[in-house]
Amino acid sequence: MKSLNNVKLSMLDLVAVREGATVADALQIAVRTAQQAEKLGFTRYWLAEHHNMPGIASSATAVLIGHIAGATQKIRVGSGGIMLPNHAPLVVAEAFGTLAELYPGRIDLGLGRAPGTDGATMRALRRDRVETEEDFPRDVQELQRLLGDHQDGARIIAMPGAGTHVPIWLLGSSLFSAQLAAHMGLPYAFASHFAPRMLHQALALYRQMFKPSATLAKPYAIVGVPVIAAPSDEEARFLASSTYQRVLGILTGNRTRLMPPIPDFWEQLDGRAQAAIADFLAVGVIGGPDTVRQGLQKLADETQADEFMIVSDVYDAELRLRSLEITAGAMNTAA
């Protein structure tokens, strides 16, 4: 059994815009949530790049990382992730190099290879060229060079960026990034908070193929986990109806803002919808303190994760802060 005390706890925030509230409200809630995570001893607070989605306010990810870092003291803040196909590596290196100079030792650069949006938005992001399988590994290597020590004779220098050695993480929900992270000796985060199907296969492949590097001596894996904690299982299931509505919107192409919880929402769904949501949230942990502790312990045993990156879509901002506190307590009181 893997002790939960040996599993670090972190958070991924999509900066949900709530029904009846504003984008400014969502950004303020993100700051308060990051401050609560820091108070509870979370290791890092990551923000995700998404575009053209009415319920998500984290599209200008680097800007928001700077805002969150400026409102906290010591927690690491980073991207989970920057969708590298949307950006030139030099622009990413300069942005995160600037962040690293402003907040030394606190910035993470998590990279994904999906565009994080639809085709029309991809074109609006000036992504006219066709991506090949070789582009992402090449761009990651270019970022390593740009953020590494200055090389004599280099024609292109990231300034700021050069010499900051911002830690690079590879993110993914398939086997491609797992193999690449292993080959490059980089830490790896699996997006099981929304795509859990290949979690165990990807982790096994990453660990089996891992090659030690100057960055990392042995594999290090983060597992994404949807978590909603409350004083009782019943209340947690009620609060989770906001997440169920969000997931159903994603699956049906009807994305909305984060909706308030609905009593007995799960029971009102047909079997097909229930099965689809359950598959999406297969590693999710929803319940009171004991249920949360048992669920996280089971996941730790199954995955041997070094770190959990929780996602918590609770409509009421105060109850979301409470959810983090209950989750941290469950981790800390585990045997």
Side-chain angles (χ1 to χ4, degrees), residues 17-329:
V17 182
R18 288 155 173 80
E19 182 66 20
T22 66
V23 169
D25 294 330
L27 299 176
Q28 291 169 0
I29 289 170
V31 169
R32 290 172 54 210
T33 307
Q35 291 169 337
Q36 171 81 333
E38 180 172 71
K39 177 182 174 182
L40 293 169
F42 281 44
T43 298
R44 66 191 92 242
Y45 195 89
W46 280 3
L47 300 140
E49 177 188 350
H50 293 283
H51 299 281
N52 197 29
M53 296 182 185
I56 295 178
S58 56
S59 55
T61 315
V63 175
L64 195 49
I65 288 170
H67 185 58
I68 296 291
T72 50
Q73 300 297 319
K74 59 184 180 180
I75 193 170
R76 298 191 67 88
V77 188
S79 58
I82 290 294
M83 299 297 106
L84 194 49
N86 297 339
H87 310 280
L90 178 60
V91 174
V92 176
E94 290 171 340
F96 278 78
T98 301
L99 289 168
E101 297 288 1
L102 289 169
Y103 308 103
R106 294 183 56 206
I107 302 300
D108 293 328
L109 175 53
L111 299 171
R113 72 183 187 106
T117 189
D118 57 85
T121 309
M122 285 165 53
R123 289 188 290 276
L125 289 165
R126 305 291 175 89
R127 271 203 59 206
D128 294 330
R129 66 188 180 90
V130 177
E131 293 289 321
T132 69
E133 198 169 81
E134 291 76 30
D135 287 333
F136 185 68
R138 184 175 57 246
D139 286 350
V140 173
Q141 289 177 326
E142 178 68 1
L143 267 171
Q144 286 182 311
R145 186 191 70 76
L146 290 168
L147 294 170
D149 292 331
H150 174 66
Q151 300 174 7
D152 291 337
R155 296 182 60 193
I156 305 295
I157 300 171
M159 185 56 63
T164 58
H165 298 278
V166 177
I168 291 176
W169 296 70
L170 294 192
L171 284 52
S173 58
S174 68
L175 303 183
F176 180 91
S177 291
Q179 294 177 77
L180 182 61
H183 176 74
M184 300 183 74
L186 292 172
Y188 178 60
F190 190 87
S192 39
H193 59 286
F194 74 88
R197 188 164 297 174
M198 304 186 78
L199 169 63
H200 300 289
Q201 189 177 355
L203 291 180
L205 197 62
Y206 170 62
R207 289 168 177 146
Q208 290 166 8
M209 298 180 64
F210 185 83
K211 297 178 180 179
S213 67
T215 300
L216 200 61
K218 61 181 182 179
Y220 190 99
I222 289 179
V223 170
V225 193
V227 177
I228 295 177
S232 69
D233 287 357
E234 182 180 15
E235 183 181 354
R237 286 193 294 268
F238 167 66
L239 296 177
S241 63
S242 295
T243 294
Y244 299 154
Q245 293 175 74
R246 182 184 68 83
V247 172
L248 193 60
I250 293 171
L251 296 174
T252 59
N254 183 30
R255 294 177 182 268
T256 63
R257 297 187 171 204
L258 185 64
M259 304 299 289
I262 297 174
D264 303 318
F265 179 78
W266 182 262
E267 289 73 18
Q268 298 169 30
L269 297 172
D270 61 34
R272 185 175 178 181
Q274 288 181 347
I277 294 171
D279 184 61
F280 192 104
L281 300 173
V283 303
V285 178
I286 298 168
D290 289 341
T291 300
V292 170
R293 181 169 56 251
Q294 292 166 10
L296 292 176
Q297 182 64 67
K298 181 174 182 290
L299 190 61
D301 291 339
E302 291 175 349
T303 65
Q304 295 295 302
D306 298 289
E307 190 170 329
F308 288 147
M309 179 76 68
I310 69 168
V311 177
S312 191
D313 287 321
V314 178
Y315 179 82
D316 186 301
E318 294 299 327
L319 299 185
R320 188 191 196 205
L321 299 181
R322 186 189 66 177
S323 178
L324 300 192
E325 186 172 1
I326 293 171
T327 303

